[in-house]
Amino acid sequence: MRLAVFGDVHGNAYALQAVLDAIQTAAPDAVYNLGDTVWGAADPGRAWALQQEHAPPTVRGNTDERVAGMRDGKEAMRTWVRSQLPPEASPILAALPTHVDVAGGEVRLAHGSPRSPWEDLLLTEEDGGHTRPAHVAEIRERLDGFSFETGGRVCVVGHTHRELLTVVDGVTVVNAGPVSRHKDGLPLGRWVLLTRQDGAWSVEFRRTPYDTQAAAAWAHAHAPADIAPDEATWLTTGREP
């Protein structure tokens, strides 16, 4: 069994198309989408259409909640993103679950953690804004009952925009990395390929190049003036402005 998992598209149709092409070449048995689908400015309308056609969101991301009106804040961005989407997008996002179990319950998928799309699973923020790797006890609690003893084998999340992997009590815990809005200075579309063979799961981090200049040009041409410059910088540098 081979499963492709991606997330954090953030409205980047250019990166998403490249990732979808790479996934098609890999020919997995199923494709899953970890959310944060359209909150961005590199053609979010087309990004939404591509996801609906090829890999509809599997779980709800934190910015999906903003688009759906489940969370307040960042009203200017929400209003513009909604203007790029069909009216049915918001209720579709609002109806998504926080986590799902697939592959006979062996694989759990979530955006942030199985408990909340806003919670980091593998990172912990301390006082002063410093972020550190989460302790095993913290990860175990955030897995929300998903364990080796109950049949769990792999948990895959997004949200932090980092590629991370650890093992907790026999469960492989994976942070898939983002399709867009990278934070490590490497603006390549990220996704993960899970392979089950002889009862064991292997994890491959995949990276896919795309036309960052075209994505930035779309943002400059179509996004509001208070959004476009930072979005374009983020797309081309792979670092949050």
Side-chain angles (χ1 to χ4, degrees):
M1 182 185 296
R2 301 167 77 242
L3 310 178
V5 185
F6 68 85
D8 294 289
V9 173
H10 282 286
N12 187 341
Y14 298 85
L16 175 61
Q17 184 65 73
V19 166
L20 289 173
D21 290 346
I23 289 173
Q24 183 178 24
T25 299
D29 297 295
V31 183
Y32 297 103
N33 180 345
L34 301 178
D36 272 14
T37 54
V38 290
W39 191 271
D43 202 350
R46 183 161 68 94
W48 174 258
L50 285 169
Q51 287 169 91
Q52 289 302 293
E53 181 178 0
H54 299 289
T58 308
V59 293
R60 187 173 69 246
N62 61 301
T63 64
D64 296 330
E65 291 192 353
R66 288 201 186 278
V67 173
M70 301 169 69
R71 289 277 184 138
D72 294 330
K74 302 189 177 182
E75 188 57 41
M77 182 69 171
R78 170 166 44 207
T79 298
W80 180 76
V81 168
R82 280 180 166 179
S83 75
Q84 305 296 302
L85 304 175
E88 66 270 17
S90 288
I92 288 174
L93 293 173
L96 291 169
T98 299
H99 73 264
V100 299
D101 295 337
V102 300
E106 292 190 4
V107 178
R108 175 163 288 188
L109 306 170
H111 178 73
S113 82
R115 302 190 304 187
S116 169
W118 296 85
E119 180 180 57
D120 295 350
L121 180 56
L122 290 175
L123 298 174
T124 296
E125 186 173 324
E126 296 184 318
D127 293 341
H130 173 70
T131 300
R132 60 165 173 79
H135 300 316
V136 168
E138 293 172 324
I139 300 171
R140 184 184 297 123
E141 180 184 359
R142 295 168 191 172
L143 284 171
D144 200 29
F146 185 73
S147 68
F148 197 89
E149 289 73 19
T150 60
R153 296 296 181 267
V154 184
C155 181
V156 188
V157 298
H159 186 54
T160 65
H161 295 223
R162 297 279 189 261
E163 292 165 311
L164 302 166
L165 184 148
T166 192
V167 178
V168 175
D169 302 331
V171 174
T172 301
V173 187
V174 183
N175 212 135
V179 171
S180 187
R181 289 191 165 188
H182 309 93
K183 295 185 177 182
D184 53 15
L186 191 63
L188 301 173
R190 316 296 174 89
W191 56 286
V192 164
L193 184 66
L194 307 179
T195 302
R196 188 183 192 277
Q197 187 171 7
D198 299 327
W201 287 93
S202 299
V203 181
E204 297 176 61
F205 289 100
R206 297 291 185 99
R207 297 173 174 179
T208 303
Y210 76 98
D211 192 340
T212 59
Q213 295 298 327
W218 194 97
H220 277 303
H222 301 282
D226 59 340
I227 294 173
D230 281 352
E231 187 79 20
T233 297
W234 204 340
L235 292 166
T236 54
T237 66
R239 292 194 183 277
E240 185 174 3

